[in-house]
Every structure is written in structure tokens, then in C-alpha cells.
Amino acid sequence: MNNKKKSILVLSIGMILVLNISGSMIAIHALTKTVEVIVVSETLGPRSMIESKHVSVISMPKNTVPTNVFLDESDVVGKFVSFDASLYRGMFFFVDAIESIDTVNDAPLLRLKEGQVAVSIGVDVLKSIGNTLLPGQYVDLVHTFVIRNGNPIVDTIFNDVRVLAIKDRYGLDMSDSKSQKVPHVILLAINHSDANDFYLALRKGQMDLVPLPSGRFVENESTINKESIIWRLLYE
């Protein structure tokens, strides 16, 4: 083998070695490239609302991160853990374990505050003020107590009651594209301690809704008017 052929052979081997080393370096870089991903900082049970304090950020190799997880805190804060799921400390925020309040059937219950329960009243277009009531709006509850052979007594028995939802006869929200747009039931947030009083009043008379101006600051929701004569009449 002459010198020219030897030079070509050495050069070829060198190029192969360089290409192999470059390819290996690229593969190693791809394997060791890290990304930031969010994980659960403390255990969350079903229907827990996710807050910033529940989220931690860690760095890990990109190729080890599953494709079905949320990567950014803004994607999960304010959302809820699915009804059939729990998130444990150190876990990823899996997409199928997180739900938005706008997409779940029990959304009204998720809007309840501590110590509150959801109650319902049958409504129609008239009682819903021409179908103008909206979730989040406040109403007063006015009760009409009928007295045999006498004039009925009308008085407000609850103040500042928050509307949770208005649904049609099939349980669909008024905003649902499949809804009939005819209100059938309204869900309200009542203090748990007042629930029995509410249902007694509902059973023994007529309940009407008086919408309150929007934009009001309400410190105490669903305040029972204990001074109303209605309560004495109801419990006689």
C-alpha cells in the first residue's frame, strides 16, 4: 500500500471517529438536557382546589418527563383534583387528574364556602326575574305566609343569599348550548346551620327571590332574619 492510500485510509478512519464522537456527544446532551416541571408539594384529596402553595418546581432530564402532565403552575392553580383521584407529594400534576370548575357537573358544590350547603328552589321565568339571574349574584329570600281567613304575611327571611347555579329541567346550566334556556331550578348557598329553617319555610309557604344590585360587597352571606315574625308563625 503506497503512502497516498495510507493517508486516505487514516483520514477516513479519523472522520469516522469524529462523527461517532459527535453523535455520542449529541445523544448524551439530549439525554442530560433538563427542564423545569411542577410537582405536588403536599397531598391533595379528591375535589381539593389547587393553590400556589401546593405546587413545587423541580428540574429533571427532559426525556424522563411524561407527556401527559402539566408543566407550568398557571395551568393548575385554581383548578380542582378530579372526583376519583388523589395527588400525593412529589407526584406530577397529571392532566386526567385535574379539572376546571367550568367543565364538571358538581361545579355549584365547589363554589360553596366553608360551613355552607347547597339548597334548591323550583323556579320559572317569572320567579327567575325573566331569566336574568346569574351565578354569583345575591338575592334576598322573601316568604309569604298564608293565614286562613286573613291577609297573608310577607317578609324577608334571608338576606344576601348567593346564587350557585340556574338549571333547566334536564339539569343543564342556562349557559350550556344544549340547554332549553327555560329555568327550572335554582341552587343557593345557605349556611348549614340554617338549612332546616330554609326547608321548613319552603314547605309551609311561598318563597320568592329579590335580586340585589351587583357590585355590592357582602361580608356575611346568607344571613337569617331572626327578627321576622314569619319564623314564629312557622314554628307554631
Side-chain angles (χ1 to χ4, degrees):
M1 181 180 297
N2 57 39
N3 291 335
K4 183 177 181 180
K5 290 182 178 181
K6 287 181 179 180
S7 298
I8 294 174
L9 179 60
V10 171
L11 182 60
S12 298
I13 293 173
M15 291 179 65
I16 291 172
L17 289 174
V18 170
L19 290 173
N20 284 338
I21 292 172
S22 298
S24 298
M25 293 299 293
I26 292 173
I28 292 173
H29 178 72
L31 291 173
T32 58
K33 183 178 180 180
T34 61
V35 294
E36 289 189 341
V37 60
I38 56 173
V39 295
V40 182
S41 61
E42 57 182 81
T43 298
L44 295 169
R47 282 295 178 257
S48 297
M49 188 175 76
I50 302 169
E51 303 177 30
S52 294
K53 66 180 181 179
H54 300 138
V55 182
S56 294
V57 180
I58 63 172
S59 295
M60 59 188 305
K62 183 178 181 180
N63 65 306
T64 64
V65 179
T67 58
N68 61 334
V69 300
F70 289 109
L71 302 178
D72 193 87
E73 179 179 328
S74 61
D75 294 328
V76 298
V77 170
K79 295 183 179 179
F80 293 82
V81 181
S82 299
F83 181 77
D84 56 352
S86 292
L87 297 177
Y88 298 96
R89 184 177 180 182
M91 283 182 58
F92 294 113
F93 285 93
F94 290 97
V95 172
D96 58 1
I98 309 296
E99 294 180 322
S100 170
I101 194 172
D102 299 323
T103 61
V104 297
N105 292 331
D106 60 343
L109 302 183
L110 299 178
R111 298 188 181 107
L112 291 171
K113 298 181 179 180
E114 185 177 356
Q116 292 183 334
V117 294
V119 295
S120 60
I121 296 179
V123 295
D124 52 23
V125 174
L126 178 63
K127 188 168 285 190
S128 65
I129 322 299
N131 199 13
T132 59
L133 292 178
L134 298 172
Q137 190 171 354
Y138 288 92
V139 298
D140 285 344
L141 300 186
V142 176
H143 186 274
T144 300
F145 188 89
V146 178
I147 300 177
R148 184 178 298 180
N149 300 323
N151 294 324
I153 297 177
V154 181
D155 198 7
T156 299
I157 58 174
F158 284 97
N159 296 103
D160 295 319
V161 179
R162 182 162 49 92
V163 176
L164 296 173
I166 303 98
K167 297 180 177 290
D168 67 12
R169 62 183 300 180
Y170 298 108
L172 298 176
D173 289 320
M174 292 294 98
S175 58
D176 194 306
S177 60
K178 298 179 182 179
S179 170
Q180 293 184 322
K181 308 302 181 184
V182 179
H184 185 71
V185 63
I186 184 169
L187 301 181
L188 304 169
I190 293 285
N191 292 323
H192 186 273
S193 58
D194 299 327
N196 289 341
D197 291 327
F198 169 84
Y199 280 114
L200 176 66
L202 189 62
R203 185 173 66 87
K204 289 193 173 184
Q206 178 179 320
M207 197 91 77
D208 290 296
L209 311 173
V210 178
L212 301 174
S214 59
R216 297 168 60 253
F217 172 73
V218 177
E219 184 176 0
N220 298 309
E221 293 185 0
S222 185
T223 305
I224 188 170
N225 178 19
K226 295 181 179 180
E227 303 300 320
S228 174
I229 191 176
I230 295 291
W231 296 116
R232 180 175 62 80
L233 296 173
L234 289 175
Y235 279 99
E236 281 185 347

